């Protein structure tokens, strides 16, 4: 399995597609999922190419997980959530649809249920959520 440089997240990284950006550092980039299964659902990706955890280097894994921890804290604070769920899928059989490594970070409340997949969010709502999360990040 090879990396396709024209996958959606590679295009977002190159600025060829828009996104609700939340955070970036030298190794990682974070933006809101366009079909959020919970308010604040975001995606953490490495800036360098890899399909998933199967071809990622230890350095890519470490960078993505460090940023995932940061984003878990930020989305919990932004949405006053007592919990957080991480999801991570590898290859089609594992549920992966976009073949650039990513970790889903979803703030969770007691007894809530994730929305069904595939429901596009209103861009204005996403922009408001992004602002809340960026503000929370600034406090961390
Ligand atoms: P998966 O590969 O199964 O982890 O799923 C890919 C995720 O990417 C899904 O949750 C989609 O909603 C999300 N997604 C697809 N296209 C975009 C996009 N242009 N911007 C933000 N998220 C996206």
């Amino acid at each position: 399995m090879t990396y396709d440089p024209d996958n959606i997240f590679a295009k977002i990284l190159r600025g060829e597609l828009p996104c609700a950006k939340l955070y970036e550092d030298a190794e990682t980039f974070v933006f809101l999922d366009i079909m959020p299964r919970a308010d604040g659902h975001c995606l953490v990706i490495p800036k360098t190419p890899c399909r998933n955890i199967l071809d990622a280097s230890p350095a890519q894994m470490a960078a993505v997980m460090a940023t995932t921890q940061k984003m878990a804290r930020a989305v919990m604070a932004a949405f006053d959530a007592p919990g957080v769920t991480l999801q991570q899928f590898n290859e089609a059989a594992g549920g992966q649809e976009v073949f650039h490594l990513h970790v889903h970070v979803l703030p969770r409340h007691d007894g809530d249920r994730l929305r069904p997949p595939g429901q596009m969010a209103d861009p204005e709502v996403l922009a408001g959520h992004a602002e809340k999360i960026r503000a929370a990040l600034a406090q961390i």
Side-chain angles (χ1 to χ4, degrees):
M1 291 293 186
T2 54
Y3 180 81
D4 171 9
D6 284 327
N7 73 76
I8 292 169
F9 296 170
K11 289 182 178 177
I12 287 174
L13 279 171
R14 291 196 295 266
E16 294 167 9
L17 286 178
C19 73
K21 178 181 162 183
L22 303 175
Y23 173 82
E24 76 176 308
D25 60 21
E27 285 102 24
T28 62
F29 189 88
V30 187
F31 53 102
L32 285 176
D33 197 297
I34 206 168
M35 292 177 263
R37 303 201 56 200
D39 288 350
H41 176 178
C42 63
L43 301 169
V44 180
I45 67 175
K47 284 185 169 175
T48 47
C50 60
R51 280 174 71 85
N52 51 45
I53 66 163
L54 302 170
D55 63 338
S57 68
Q60 285 173 314
M61 293 294 292
V64 165
M65 287 316 292
T67 299
T68 296
Q69 182 186 46
K70 186 188 286 281
M71 296 311 304
R73 291 173 174 152
V75 297
M76 286 175 71
F79 291 90
D80 199 20
V84 63
T85 296
L86 304 182
Q87 293 182 328
Q88 202 283 314
F89 306 107
N90 300 280
E91 297 300 331
Q96 186 175 12
E97 292 179 352
V98 178
F99 295 94
H100 181 109
L101 172 64
H102 54 281
V103 176
H104 298 253
V105 183
L106 302 108
R108 301 299 300 276
H109 296 86
D110 290 318
D112 70 2
R113 300 186 67 173
L114 294 181
R115 285 182 210 118
Q119 295 182 1
M120 202 69 100
D122 177 339
E124 277 186 27
V125 172
L126 284 186
H129 291 169
E131 207 164 297
K132 273 171 73 157
I133 297 168
R134 287 193 296 264
L137 270 171
Q139 303 298 314
I140 288 175

